[in-house]
Amino acid sequence: TVADESVTEPSGIRSLPWLVHLPLIAIIAVLWWMQHQSGYAPVLASQSAMDASRRFAADGDVQNMEQQLELAAQADPYAVEPRLHLATLRLAIWLGGDEKGKRPGPFTGRLIGEFENWIGQVLALDPRSASRRARAAADWQSIYQVTKLPADGRRAVELWREAAALYPTGVVV
């Protein structure tokens, strides 16, 4: 029939006009840059600071190691590792002061407060980790063994309970 002959099939796939391609490429480039700045840059900066802290630790430079750990924690708000190292460092300094009999009051309160802050951030960032809770419980138990304060002992017991609740067969007290 005549009507059937007048309808033609498209000869190929149509593409977008070239003027649409340029803004599309620009949008893709902007999205890539935003992802890099928000997702990769903090992680890379944090890892760079962690590497520097390891070098300082190997050289025995605790002050610069601590600075780099703090930079790593600031660079990536979701990084657990630098916060865990900072908590461990605070506790080690505090316990070392006890062994030497040099634990003045205000210094003690500041170190324990900083330890509590860093370990609290670790537990908040990794709330389902039984091993991190068990480690925090052991740390608070170490503090309790020195201070003999009931609040420190209760904190250790509570963290042990939380760790056991998360992983019942993996916690040995």
Side-chain angles (χ1 to χ4, degrees), residues 27-43:
I27 289 170
I28 290 170
V30 166
L31 289 175
W32 176 86
W33 182 80
M34 289 172 54
Q35 167 60 26
H36 184 273
Q37 293 304 308
S38 64
Y40 298 123
V43 173

Side-chain angles (χ1 to χ4, degrees), residues 39-166:
Y40 298 123
V43 173
L44 294 174
S46 179
Q47 285 304 312
S48 176
M50 285 300 299
D51 290 342
S53 76
R54 289 182 190 101
R55 285 192 300 276
F56 286 123
D59 294 340
D61 187 350
V62 176
Q63 186 176 6
N64 282 324
M65 176 190 73
E66 184 176 354
Q67 274 183 330
Q68 292 301 314
L69 287 171
E70 287 175 357
L71 287 173
Q74 288 172 358
D76 185 358
Y78 302 106
V80 172
E81 187 181 8
R83 289 164 173 80
L84 186 58
H85 287 303
L86 283 163
T88 302
L89 179 63
R90 293 303 187 274
L91 183 61
I93 292 170
W94 184 78
L95 288 172
D98 180 53
E99 291 170 2
K100 298 174 187 171
K102 300 178 183 176
R103 199 170 339 114
F107 185 64
T108 297
R110 184 177 62 84
L111 283 173
I112 293 298
E114 290 174 3
F115 163 77
E116 187 173 10
N117 173 46
W118 290 118
I119 203 69
Q121 288 182 39
V122 166
L123 297 177
L125 288 170
D126 202 359
R128 303 289 304 159
S129 174
S131 63
R132 296 211 195 280
R133 293 219 179 288
R135 179 170 178 168
D139 290 345
W140 278 107
Q141 190 171 351
S142 297
I143 292 169
Y144 171 72
Q145 289 172 346
V146 173
T147 65
K148 303 293 188 227
L149 294 173
D152 295 337
R154 281 192 296 274
R155 186 165 291 152
V157 169
E158 182 58 34
L159 286 166
W160 280 121
R161 285 184 180 143
E162 290 174 12
L166 288 170

